[in-house]
Amino acid sequence: MSKADKTTTSSASTSKKGRINLQSVVIALLYALILIANLVFTVGVAIESRYGPGYCLFYVENVRIGDNNMSTFLPFSGMCNTVIYMASAGFVLLLLIAIPRFLYARKAATPSAAIQVILAVLSTVTAIYSLVAVSIAQAGIKQTCDGFMAYTNTLGVNANCAAIFAAGFNTAADPNTRVVKNYSGLMSSISCGWVVFAAWTLLALYEWFKYRIVLRK
C-alpha cells in the first residue's frame, strides 16, 4: 500500500469514528432528555393530580351541588395511579435500552442483527407505551376540566380550570381544609410526557435505521 493509500484509509477511519462519536452524543442527549422529562412528568402528575385519601383529578364525574349545598364531584378514578405507575416503569425501560447501546458505543462495536432488532422493537414498544400513558393523562384532565366548566356555567360563574384548581379542593372527612393544586404545573408535566413520547419515537426510528444498515453488511 502506498503512502497516499494509507493516508486516505486513515482519513476515512477518522471520519467514521467522528460520525460514530457524534451519533453517540446525540443519542446520549436524547436519553438524558427522556430521563429528565419523564421525571417531571411522573412527579408532576403524582403531586398535582392527587389529593386526600386516594382522590384523583383525572376523569372526575358527576360534578354537582351536594346535599350540604356545596360543590362536589366523584374523584375516585384510578387513572392517576395508573399514569404514575406507567411513567415509573418508563425508567426501567430506559435502562434496558440505554445500557446495551452505551456498552456497544463504548467498545465502538456494532450490535448483531438480532440485538439491533431487539433494541428497535423495545424502542418502538416504549414509544407506544409512553403515548398511552400521556394520552390517559391528557384525556383525564380534559374530561375533568370539561365537567368543571359545564358545572360553573350552570351557576352563571365564569371560572376557568386553573382558577378552580387554585381555589382548592376539600374532602368529606375534612371539609374545612382546602388542598390547592397547580393546574399550570400539571399541564406542564403532561407536556413533558409528550416530549418523552417524541424522543422515544426519534430513538425508535434511529434503531430501525441502524437495523437496516446491519442487514446490508
Side-chain angles (χ1 to χ4, degrees):
M1 182 182 293
S2 66
K3 184 176 181 180
D5 292 337
K6 291 180 180 180
T7 302
T8 302
T9 302
S10 177
S11 299
S13 177
T14 301
S15 176
K16 183 178 180 181
K17 288 181 179 178
R19 288 197 299 271
I20 292 175
N21 289 336
L22 179 60
Q23 288 180 11
S24 298
V25 170
V26 172
I27 297 304
L29 289 175
L30 280 175
Y31 285 142
L33 176 62
I34 290 172
L35 178 63
I36 295 171
N38 198 53
L39 181 63
V40 174
F41 178 48
T42 307
V43 174
V45 170
I47 293 175
E48 300 299 344
S49 72
R50 301 184 302 178
Y51 72 99
Y55 294 170
C56 174
L57 290 172
F58 290 161
Y59 300 98
V60 302
E61 298 178 331
N62 198 16
V63 186
R64 66 197 188 284
I65 293 290
D67 296 334
N68 54 2
N69 291 324
M70 295 180 65
S71 301
T72 185
F73 55 90
L74 300 178
F76 303 117
S77 169
M79 287 303 177
C80 289
N81 288 336
T82 297
V83 171
I84 294 166
Y85 295 149
M86 291 183 71
S88 299
F91 294 111
V92 178
L93 292 170
L94 176 61
L95 289 176
L96 289 176
I97 298 170
I99 290 176
R101 174 54 66 191
F102 279 124
L103 288 176
Y104 279 105
R106 184 177 180 182
K107 297 177 180 178
T110 301
S112 64
I115 297 297
Q116 186 58 57
V117 76
I118 289 173
L119 290 173
V121 169
L122 279 176
S123 298
T124 303
V125 170
T126 306
I128 296 171
Y129 182 85
S130 63
L131 173 62
V132 172
V134 72
S135 296
I136 291 173
Q138 187 78 61
I141 193 61
K142 181 180 185 303
Q143 177 174 314
T144 293
C145 286
D146 287 348
F148 285 163
M149 295 303 97
Y151 169 71
T152 55
N153 287 338
T154 63
L155 299 179
V157 178
N158 185 16
N160 57 30
C161 211
I164 294 173
F165 273 59
F169 307 93
N170 53 24
T171 66
D174 189 8
N176 296 320
T177 300
R178 303 191 72 81
V179 181
V180 174
K181 292 296 178 179
N182 189 326
Y183 175 76
S184 297
L186 179 57
M187 294 307 296
S188 296
S189 300
I190 293 174
S191 296
C192 285
W194 288 109
V195 171
V196 172
F197 164 65
W200 274 121
T201 301
L202 290 175
L203 282 169
L205 292 173
Y206 169 79
E207 296 295 358
W208 284 114
F209 174 74
K210 296 293 287 185
Y211 175 63
R212 290 186 62 184
I213 292 176
V214 171
L215 288 181
R216 292 174 183 174
K217 293 183 178 180

PDB file of all heavy atoms in Angstrom, residues 97 114-128 204 207-208 211:
ATOM      1  N   ILE A  97     -32.840  -0.295  27.505  1.00  0.00           N
ATOM      2  CA  ILE A  97     -32.441   0.068  26.145  1.00  0.00           C
ATOM      3  C   ILE A  97     -31.126   0.837  26.126  1.00  0.00           C
ATOM      4  O   ILE A  97     -30.268   0.609  25.261  1.00  0.00           O
ATOM      5  CB  ILE A  97     -33.556   0.903  25.477  1.00  0.00           C
ATOM      6  CG1 ILE A  97     -34.834   0.062  25.368  1.00  0.00           C
ATOM      7  CG2 ILE A  97     -33.135   1.394  24.100  1.00  0.00           C
ATOM      8  CD1 ILE A  97     -36.061   0.845  24.958  1.00  0.00           C
ATOM      9  N   ALA A 114     -29.632  -9.519  15.434  1.00  0.00           N
ATOM     10  CA  ALA A 114     -30.596  -9.948  16.446  1.00  0.00           C
ATOM     11  C   ALA A 114     -30.693  -8.932  17.576  1.00  0.00           C
ATOM     12  O   ALA A 114     -31.800  -8.574  18.010  1.00  0.00           O
ATOM     13  CB  ALA A 114     -30.198 -11.321  17.004  1.00  0.00           C
ATOM     14  N   ILE A 115     -29.535  -8.460  18.062  1.00  0.00           N
ATOM     15  CA  ILE A 115     -29.533  -7.460  19.139  1.00  0.00           C
ATOM     16  C   ILE A 115     -30.139  -6.154  18.647  1.00  0.00           C
ATOM     17  O   ILE A 115     -30.921  -5.497  19.350  1.00  0.00           O
ATOM     18  CB  ILE A 115     -28.104  -7.225  19.666  1.00  0.00           C
ATOM     19  CG1 ILE A 115     -27.551  -8.498  20.293  1.00  0.00           C
ATOM     20  CG2 ILE A 115     -28.086  -6.078  20.663  1.00  0.00           C
ATOM     21  CD1 ILE A 115     -28.311  -8.972  21.510  1.00  0.00           C
ATOM     22  N   GLN A 116     -29.794  -5.766  17.424  1.00  0.00           N
ATOM     23  CA  GLN A 116     -30.275  -4.498  16.889  1.00  0.00           C
ATOM     24  C   GLN A 116     -31.798  -4.500  16.718  1.00  0.00           C
ATOM     25  O   GLN A 116     -32.467  -3.513  17.014  1.00  0.00           O
ATOM     26  CB  GLN A 116     -29.606  -4.203  15.545  1.00  0.00           C
ATOM     27  CG  GLN A 116     -29.947  -2.834  14.976  1.00  0.00           C
ATOM     28  CD  GLN A 116     -29.578  -1.707  15.914  1.00  0.00           C
ATOM     29  OE1 GLN A 116     -28.436  -1.570  16.307  1.00  0.00           O
ATOM     30  NE2 GLN A 116     -30.549  -0.876  16.287  1.00  0.00           N
ATOM     31  N   VAL A 117     -32.355  -5.621  16.269  1.00  0.00           N
ATOM     32  CA  VAL A 117     -33.806  -5.668  16.105  1.00  0.00           C
ATOM     33  C   VAL A 117     -34.509  -5.653  17.467  1.00  0.00           C
ATOM     34  O   VAL A 117     -35.604  -5.089  17.612  1.00  0.00           O
ATOM     35  CB  VAL A 117     -34.232  -6.899  15.271  1.00  0.00           C
ATOM     36  CG1 VAL A 117     -34.163  -8.183  16.092  1.00  0.00           C
ATOM     37  CG2 VAL A 117     -35.645  -6.703  14.725  1.00  0.00           C
ATOM     38  N   ILE A 118     -33.864  -6.234  18.483  1.00  0.00           N
ATOM     39  CA  ILE A 118     -34.426  -6.180  19.836  1.00  0.00           C
ATOM     40  C   ILE A 118     -34.464  -4.741  20.333  1.00  0.00           C
ATOM     41  O   ILE A 118     -35.465  -4.281  20.902  1.00  0.00           O
ATOM     42  CB  ILE A 118     -33.617  -7.064  20.797  1.00  0.00           C
ATOM     43  CG1 ILE A 118     -33.847  -8.549  20.482  1.00  0.00           C
ATOM     44  CG2 ILE A 118     -34.002  -6.783  22.259  1.00  0.00           C
ATOM     45  CD1 ILE A 118     -32.968  -9.485  21.273  1.00  0.00           C
ATOM     46  N   LEU A 119     -33.371  -3.997  20.114  1.00  0.00           N
ATOM     47  CA  LEU A 119     -33.330  -2.590  20.516  1.00  0.00           C
ATOM     48  C   LEU A 119     -34.389  -1.776  19.771  1.00  0.00           C
ATOM     49  O   LEU A 119     -35.046  -0.901  20.350  1.00  0.00           O
ATOM     50  CB  LEU A 119     -31.936  -2.012  20.247  1.00  0.00           C
ATOM     51  CG  LEU A 119     -30.803  -2.519  21.129  1.00  0.00           C
ATOM     52  CD1 LEU A 119     -29.459  -1.986  20.627  1.00  0.00           C
ATOM     53  CD2 LEU A 119     -31.013  -2.115  22.580  1.00  0.00           C
ATOM     54  N   ALA A 120     -34.560  -2.074  18.494  1.00  0.00           N
ATOM     55  CA  ALA A 120     -35.546  -1.345  17.695  1.00  0.00           C
ATOM     56  C   ALA A 120     -36.968  -1.649  18.172  1.00  0.00           C
ATOM     57  O   ALA A 120     -37.792  -0.731  18.309  1.00  0.00           O
ATOM     58  CB  ALA A 120     -35.397  -1.718  16.218  1.00  0.00           C
ATOM     59  N   VAL A 121     -37.245  -2.904  18.436  1.00  0.00           N
ATOM     60  CA  VAL A 121     -38.587  -3.286  18.893  1.00  0.00           C
ATOM     61  C   VAL A 121     -38.868  -2.701  20.274  1.00  0.00           C
ATOM     62  O   VAL A 121     -39.961  -2.166  20.532  1.00  0.00           O
ATOM     63  CB  VAL A 121     -38.734  -4.822  18.918  1.00  0.00           C
ATOM     64  CG1 VAL A 121     -40.019  -5.225  19.633  1.00  0.00           C
ATOM     65  CG2 VAL A 121     -38.724  -5.375  17.505  1.00  0.00           C
ATOM     66  N   LEU A 122     -37.886  -2.788  21.181  1.00  0.00           N
ATOM     67  CA  LEU A 122     -38.073  -2.230  22.522  1.00  0.00           C
ATOM     68  C   LEU A 122     -38.312  -0.721  22.471  1.00  0.00           C
ATOM     69  O   LEU A 122     -39.167  -0.193  23.192  1.00  0.00           O
ATOM     70  CB  LEU A 122     -36.850  -2.529  23.391  1.00  0.00           C
ATOM     71  CG  LEU A 122     -36.778  -3.918  24.028  1.00  0.00           C
ATOM     72  CD1 LEU A 122     -35.460  -4.089  24.776  1.00  0.00           C
ATOM     73  CD2 LEU A 122     -37.950  -4.138  24.973  1.00  0.00           C
ATOM     74  N   SER A 123     -37.569  -0.026  21.629  1.00  0.00           N
ATOM     75  CA  SER A 123     -37.750   1.420  21.496  1.00  0.00           C
ATOM     76  C   SER A 123     -39.133   1.749  20.952  1.00  0.00           C
ATOM     77  O   SER A 123     -39.790   2.692  21.401  1.00  0.00           O
ATOM     78  CB  SER A 123     -36.675   2.008  20.581  1.00  0.00           C
ATOM     79  OG  SER A 123     -35.386   1.824  21.117  1.00  0.00           O
ATOM     80  N   THR A 124     -39.589   0.962  19.980  1.00  0.00           N
ATOM     81  CA  THR A 124     -40.912   1.181  19.399  1.00  0.00           C
ATOM     82  C   THR A 124     -42.010   0.927  20.425  1.00  0.00           C
ATOM     83  O   THR A 124     -42.948   1.722  20.560  1.00  0.00           O
ATOM     84  CB  THR A 124     -41.119   0.265  18.185  1.00  0.00           C
ATOM     85  OG1 THR A 124     -40.083   0.502  17.220  1.00  0.00           O
ATOM     86  CG2 THR A 124     -42.473   0.520  17.543  1.00  0.00           C
ATOM     87  N   VAL A 125     -41.882  -0.185  21.144  1.00  0.00           N
ATOM     88  CA  VAL A 125     -42.870  -0.520  22.174  1.00  0.00           C
ATOM     89  C   VAL A 125     -42.901   0.560  23.259  1.00  0.00           C
ATOM     90  O   VAL A 125     -43.973   0.959  23.734  1.00  0.00           O
ATOM     91  CB  VAL A 125     -42.557  -1.900  22.789  1.00  0.00           C
ATOM     92  CG1 VAL A 125     -43.420  -2.146  24.028  1.00  0.00           C
ATOM     93  CG2 VAL A 125     -42.790  -3.000  21.765  1.00  0.00           C
ATOM     94  N   THR A 126     -41.717   1.044  23.641  1.00  0.00           N
ATOM     95  CA  THR A 126     -41.647   2.076  24.676  1.00  0.00           C
ATOM     96  C   THR A 126     -42.265   3.384  24.194  1.00  0.00           C
ATOM     97  O   THR A 126     -42.921   4.101  24.968  1.00  0.00           O
ATOM     98  CB  THR A 126     -40.191   2.308  25.107  1.00  0.00           C
ATOM     99  OG1 THR A 126     -39.610   1.065  25.503  1.00  0.00           O
ATOM    100  CG2 THR A 126     -40.110   3.276  26.272  1.00  0.00           C
ATOM    101  N   ALA A 127     -42.079   3.708  22.918  1.00  0.00           N
ATOM    102  CA  ALA A 127     -42.702   4.911  22.358  1.00  0.00           C
ATOM    103  C   ALA A 127     -44.227   4.796  22.432  1.00  0.00           C
ATOM    104  O   ALA A 127     -44.923   5.744  22.837  1.00  0.00           O
ATOM    105  CB  ALA A 127     -42.252   5.117  20.922  1.00  0.00           C
ATOM    106  N   ILE A 128     -44.757   3.630  22.053  1.00  0.00           N
ATOM    107  CA  ILE A 128     -46.207   3.409  22.121  1.00  0.00           C
ATOM    108  C   ILE A 128     -46.682   3.443  23.571  1.00  0.00           C
ATOM    109  O   ILE A 128     -47.726   4.020  23.896  1.00  0.00           O
ATOM    110  CB  ILE A 128     -46.571   2.066  21.457  1.00  0.00           C
ATOM    111  CG1 ILE A 128     -46.223   2.104  19.964  1.00  0.00           C
ATOM    112  CG2 ILE A 128     -48.050   1.745  21.653  1.00  0.00           C
ATOM    113  CD1 ILE A 128     -46.347   0.768  19.268  1.00  0.00           C
ATOM    114  N   ALA A 204     -36.657   5.263  18.265  1.00  0.00           N
ATOM    115  CA  ALA A 204     -37.143   4.076  17.564  1.00  0.00           C
ATOM    116  C   ALA A 204     -36.798   4.146  16.074  1.00  0.00           C
ATOM    117  O   ALA A 204     -36.343   3.157  15.483  1.00  0.00           O
ATOM    118  CB  ALA A 204     -38.652   3.932  17.758  1.00  0.00           C
ATOM    119  N   GLU A 207     -33.108   3.404  15.740  1.00  0.00           N
ATOM    120  CA  GLU A 207     -32.779   1.984  15.908  1.00  0.00           C
ATOM    121  C   GLU A 207     -33.194   1.171  14.685  1.00  0.00           C
ATOM    122  O   GLU A 207     -32.469   0.243  14.265  1.00  0.00           O
ATOM    123  CB  GLU A 207     -33.462   1.429  17.163  1.00  0.00           C
ATOM    124  CG  GLU A 207     -33.000   2.045  18.479  1.00  0.00           C
ATOM    125  CD  GLU A 207     -31.539   1.750  18.808  1.00  0.00           C
ATOM    126  OE1 GLU A 207     -30.865   1.027  18.044  1.00  0.00           O
ATOM    127  OE2 GLU A 207     -31.063   2.257  19.836  1.00  0.00           O
ATOM    128  N   TRP A 208     -34.318   1.480  14.073  1.00  0.00           N
ATOM    129  CA  TRP A 208     -34.714   0.769  12.858  1.00  0.00           C
ATOM    130  C   TRP A 208     -33.800   1.119  11.696  1.00  0.00           C
ATOM    131  O   TRP A 208     -33.492   0.265  10.847  1.00  0.00           O
ATOM    132  CB  TRP A 208     -36.173   1.086  12.498  1.00  0.00           C
ATOM    133  CG  TRP A 208     -37.160   0.372  13.357  1.00  0.00           C
ATOM    134  CD1 TRP A 208     -38.035   0.917  14.258  1.00  0.00           C
ATOM    135  CD2 TRP A 208     -37.376  -1.048  13.421  1.00  0.00           C
ATOM    136  NE1 TRP A 208     -38.774  -0.061  14.886  1.00  0.00           N
ATOM    137  CE2 TRP A 208     -38.397  -1.283  14.384  1.00  0.00           C
ATOM    138  CE3 TRP A 208     -36.814  -2.139  12.766  1.00  0.00           C
ATOM    139  CZ2 TRP A 208     -38.857  -2.550  14.690  1.00  0.00           C
ATOM    140  CZ3 TRP A 208     -37.272  -3.416  13.076  1.00  0.00           C
ATOM    141  CH2 TRP A 208     -38.275  -3.616  14.023  1.00  0.00           C
ATOM    142  N   TYR A 211     -30.780  -0.887  12.157  1.00  0.00           N
ATOM    143  CA  TYR A 211     -31.065  -2.293  11.830  1.00  0.00           C
ATOM    144  C   TYR A 211     -30.942  -2.516  10.324  1.00  0.00           C
ATOM    145  O   TYR A 211     -30.387  -3.542   9.882  1.00  0.00           O
ATOM    146  CB  TYR A 211     -32.464  -2.650  12.323  1.00  0.00           C
ATOM    147  CG  TYR A 211     -32.907  -4.047  11.936  1.00  0.00           C
ATOM    148  CD1 TYR A 211     -32.224  -5.154  12.418  1.00  0.00           C
ATOM    149  CD2 TYR A 211     -34.011  -4.236  11.112  1.00  0.00           C
ATOM    150  CE1 TYR A 211     -32.628  -6.444  12.074  1.00  0.00           C
ATOM    151  CE2 TYR A 211     -34.416  -5.523  10.767  1.00  0.00           C
ATOM    152  CZ  TYR A 211     -33.722  -6.609  11.244  1.00  0.00           C
ATOM    153  OH  TYR A 211     -34.128  -7.877  10.883  1.00  0.00           O
TER     154      TYR A 211
END
